[in-house]
Amino acid sequence: MKITNKIVEKHGLKIEEFENIKKLLNREPNLLELGIFSAMWNEHCSYKSSRIHLKKLPTKGKQVIQGPGENAGVIDIGDNDAIIFKIESHNHPSYIEPYQGAATGVGGILRDVFTMGARPIALLNSIHFGSPSHPKTKNLLNGVVSGIGGYGNCIGIPTIAGETKFNETYNENILVNAMAVGHAKKDKIFYSKAKGLNKSVVYVGSKTGRDGIHGASMASAEFDENSEEKKPTVQVGDPFTEKLLMEACLELMKDNSIISIQDMGAAGLTSSSVEMASKGSLGIELQLDKVPCREENMTPYEMMLSESQERMLIILEDGKEKNAKKIFDKWDLDFVVIGKTTNTNNLTLKFNNEIKGEIPIDALASKAPVYDRKWVKKKFKDNKFDSKKLNKISIENALIKILSSANHSNKSWITEQYDQMVMCDTVQKSGSDAAIIRIHNKDKAIAVSVDSSANYCKSFPLTGGKQIVCENWRNLIAVGAKPLAITNCLNFGNPENEEIMGEFVECLEGIKQTCEFLEYPVVSGNVSFYNGTNRKNINPTPVIGGVGLIKKLSKPINHNFKQENSHLVLIGKTFGHIEQSCFLRENYSIIEGMPPEINLHNEKNNGETLLKLIQENLVLSSHDVSSGGLITAISEMTFSSEIGAKILKPKKLANFINYLFGEDQARYVTEIASNNLSKAEKILKDSNIYYEIIGFTQKNNLEVEDEFKINVKDLFKINTQWYNNY
């Protein structure tokens, strides 16, 4: 078959890339080889537009066992315990087919974790949809939530935290980011690097079908008006098979059989075999007629590019095949030796004893394109936003408008679809700043949270990148955890657009600076480009997933008020920054100005001091102040009890609206009992921390001095009505 320019472009390759392929092969590729290059050279697999920038991120730390480059990151939490975690995108598939797209996103990230020897203990997600009024939003929302819940619930892993946001920027390209967290012993971690010659390459798991062919390529291109036609590229998941696969793999990992292991995710058999061989500087030979197929007459092209789910590739030590097969037979899974490692440094593909393709491994991996794309800095308007021009609104009405909005409404209608308590180690489920899960049979726990802030990143990418790391860090601090490391999912538009690429570079620089300062390394992650339709790109949406350690879990800290007559202590200074705020967005439909400034010294000092207060048992409840400002944070603290609060007017008051709704960073609201106030104040003063006593807790009502009083039950009802009315 003659490879034409049309065929090349259909495979998501540029003509100049095709010319490069011919040079690397010293010939023209056949269709199978072209498909393999297409899979390995697409944005999703090669990171060709982001690789040079990702290298700038801090990835090391005393707690880091494995940073980026493996299936997931690994951190040390002491006592020979390790936490393995990662977040990835499944944006394009979820827009095309929301249930299966979201479900297989969960399945894929779980495999990344248990492939490394960890038993998954928690799932999280960050999902973003278009405007609630958009005709597609409701169906996409319900489909994605059902898919996440359906897969996680069936496999028996608790989905314990996440975020759901709405913005018109996602009308034609939703975001579905899934995160998995697993626990392993530090001395039983498995990697994907192939070792040794003539070692058995084994296919295990489910059979290969025609679903998901060109899935990775589809995820590396913008949508257009024909996006619905791409449904066949979406994989179909089976959580029950994944459960069997997980148990079989974990059982095999108990002995010394496995040399390397890699899940078949994006680009399926192609990426798994190439990545294993590349890391080990070896060749790999596959007998494709031995691949278990669930459909008749599948071609080598289809086998290599299928993204059928619940499959693994394993390289075994000599003589271990028989015992390994017994394990997979027991779990009713396919186990077939389909190849061997070689010294050729080639990917050699045979079918019916004929060589159908042969490609140098380095041509697919180390010699894949790397682009230093042109980018421009964000241009800013000179005019500063003037809040004096706004129509007057009461504090009560402004608060009600925020709490009843799609973005700030109660999301229990979502979380109730997820099993959050399965495995019986969930200490604190979704709804607080961070979820907490106990390390099984131990008195220590980890806290986890996912966060994003697209509006901040759009208005000023550098500050937006800083802010989202800080917010994630604060969320872990607020529940009494020491932040250890992050994973990130970087969702952006078309990198060939200089402005979009500029957003990426500057956001990444903000993430880098903050992670370095806070000693909060990046250990894994994912880049998702080309999020948009017909050249209309999404707002830059980096998502940060953080893990923190609670060394000794006694009484978990959350944001719910605990008793009457406690003092409300605000840690951190309030300037009343109202630009880019939720207050303006929900009450005036205004998205203008700059995000609040980030002072990393304050973030670190304020956070570490609060952590000390929590460890000294001086804090009853705490909550970081973020979107919606101070009054929104305090309102959220009233929802799970009949305890309200009275907010006092500050003595030096410039603008009370700005004070209550401003989104200044590095702030926490804490509830401190009267008998502990002096001890807490001493620690705050000794640490040179700015703080204010801003009010006290009381029964039944949320009250703002001289402004309004509302029953907390009524406030909660307001907060829970959005989806019922949708």
Side-chain angles (χ1 to χ4, degrees), residues 63 75-79 81 83 436-437 439 443-448 476-477 479-485 520 546-553 611 615:
Q63 72 276 30
I75 56 174
D76 187 347
I77 60 168
D79 309 312
D81 291 316
I83 295 296
I436 300 173
I437 195 150
I439 302 303
D443 62 355
K444 65 181 176 183
I446 58 167
V448 290
L476 300 180
I477 293 278
V479 300
K482 177 178 172 55
L484 293 182
Y520 199 27
V547 175
L549 177 64
I550 302 172
K551 283 188 178 180
K552 191 170 179 62
L553 184 67
L611 192 56
Q615 290 168 346

Side-chain angles (χ1 to χ4, degrees), residues 181 187 199 227 277 357 442 466 468 562 708 711:
V181 182
D187 57 357
K199 302 296 183 182
S227 60
K442 297 194 177 182
K466 290 180 179 179
I468 198 55
K562 301 301 185 296
F708 76 91
N711 186 278

Side-chain angles (χ1 to χ4, degrees), residues 640-711:
S640 294
S641 69
E642 294 184 10
I643 299 169
K646 184 171 182 176
I647 304 171
L648 305 174
K649 283 188 175 179
K651 293 176 183 177
K652 296 180 180 179
L653 181 64
N655 186 313
F656 201 25
I657 285 277
N658 290 29
Y659 177 85
L660 291 173
F661 293 99
E663 296 181 6
D664 306 289
Q665 302 291 289
R667 294 185 299 161
Y668 306 83
V669 178
T670 61
E671 178 192 5
I672 297 177
S674 297
N675 61 327
N676 285 325
L677 183 63
S678 60
K679 295 177 186 175
E681 286 192 285
K682 185 178 186 308
I683 291 173
L684 289 164
K685 288 173 181 175
D686 289 348
S687 302
N688 199 28
I689 301 298
Y690 183 91
Y691 72 96
E692 299 175 63
I693 298 173
I694 61 170
F696 53 86
T697 58
Q698 61 182 18
K699 192 173 182 179
N700 292 334
N701 297 311
L702 175 67
E703 182 178 356
V704 177
E705 186 179 17
D706 298 332
E707 293 289 339
F708 76 91
K709 182 190 291 186
I710 186 170
N711 186 278

